Amino acid sequence: MARGPGRPLRLALCLAPLLFAAGWAVVNRPVVYEGVRRLVAADPGWLAAGAGFTCLTWVAAACVRQGALPDPVPPRLLLASQFAAGAANHVLPGGLGAHAVTLRFLRGQGVPLERATASIGLYSLTRSVAKTLVLVVFLAASPARRRLGELIPDGRLLVPLAAGVGGAVTVAGVLLTVVRPLRRPVVRLLRTAVADARAVHARPRRVVALWGGAAAMPLVQAGALACVGASLGLGLPWEQVVLAHLAAGTAVGAVPAPGGLAVDAALVWTLVAFGSAPAPATATVIGYRVLTDWAPLLPGALVLSALIRRNVV
């Protein structure tokens, strides 16, 4: 029997995450070396706690994914897909890699394309709203909020941002009006999204998974940062570290930079504004990135390859 082109293509897809992980480590070896060197000298107890918080981020992400979908999916495979999605996020900016892996996973579980796409939209919207609400709570409770005034961008920077958003909305509206073939699938997708959002919020378990997981994600991520800071002697109270993480992530989280580079720069700046010295603040952010992104990169790539090989994604 002749072999079709599907098997070589699937083999290439299986090897691509591993090759990317190896290439990324080679290109960024000075940064990786510096982060690993600092982590080796850090307090192992606090690092273990940070690793525990890191694992909870994948659990929280899986809860939000399931909460955004009316159809049940296998929980173990869903958790594995979210672990693998972390590796894909280093390829595409703005979370597109994780969304692509999740979309393929949901399609492999028999979820219709419109429903799977709508769940990704609800996932993104819920995460943004929940993170903003958590930030508002910390701003109201922490006296350190006054120091964030230095980090608010100049009003002149908001003009091009607003113009860009308005332009994108205008272009989308014109395309939907002029290009008729786009109108029908978009309208159908919006109807599916509204119907699924209503169905999800009519089930208490889905509501708890969706909103509880979305609120927990920034908190466990900030918990990992606080643990790394404690292991390296950052010298800031945990509530200020959490507030710094929330503020930096909310302010520049939408910047399309792979690997969270823009968030890292803003995070160092915010920690310094809260009173940390630049050296431990930079070391904390590097260690945090090593623990949460770079260390799981190769295992995540292996899991992604295994899921592709088993036709799960």
Side-chain angles (χ1 to χ4, degrees), residues 164-193:
V165 173
V169 173
T170 302
V171 170
V174 171
L175 288 176
L176 291 178
T177 303
V178 176
V179 184
R180 291 187 175 182
L182 287 177
R183 193 182 312 165
R184 182 175 298 176
V186 170
V187 171
R188 198 163 53 237
L189 175 61
L190 291 176
R191 288 177 178 174
T192 302

Side-chain angles (χ1 to χ4, degrees), residues 25-174:
V26 171
V27 172
N28 297 275
R29 60 183 180 276
V31 178
V32 174
Y33 171 78
E34 178 64 16
V36 172
R37 185 185 69 82
R38 291 185 179 276
L39 285 179
V40 168
D43 188 305
W46 280 114
L47 287 183
F53 277 109
T54 301
C55 294
L56 289 178
T57 60
W58 302 314
V59 177
C63 288
V64 183
R65 294 287 188 188
Q66 179 61 88
L69 192 68
D71 305 314
V73 292
R76 292 183 180 179
L77 290 179
L78 177 59
L79 181 59
S81 72
Q82 296 311 292
F83 178 60
N89 261 348
H90 287 271
V91 182
L92 298 175
L96 296 179
H99 293 330
V101 171
T102 301
L103 182 62
R104 286 184 58 88
F105 167 74
L106 295 178
R107 294 290 292 133
Q109 299 302 312
V111 179
L113 178 60
E114 293 175 357
R115 172 160 287 181
T117 306
S119 73
I120 290 175
L122 181 57
Y123 169 92
S124 302
L125 178 62
T126 305
R127 278 197 60 187
S128 299
V129 173
K131 186 173 185 178
T132 303
L133 293 176
V134 173
L135 174 60
V136 169
V137 172
F138 269 83
L139 284 174
S142 175
R145 64 182 180 274
R146 301 183 185 90
R147 300 183 183 179
L148 290 176
E150 305 173 3
L151 305 178
I152 298 176
D154 194 301
R156 291 173 296 180
L157 298 178
L158 299 179
V159 175
L161 178 61
V165 173
V169 173
T170 302
V171 170
V174 171

Side-chain angles (χ1 to χ4, degrees), residues 19 51 84 202 247 263 305:
L19 294 176
V263 176
S305 298

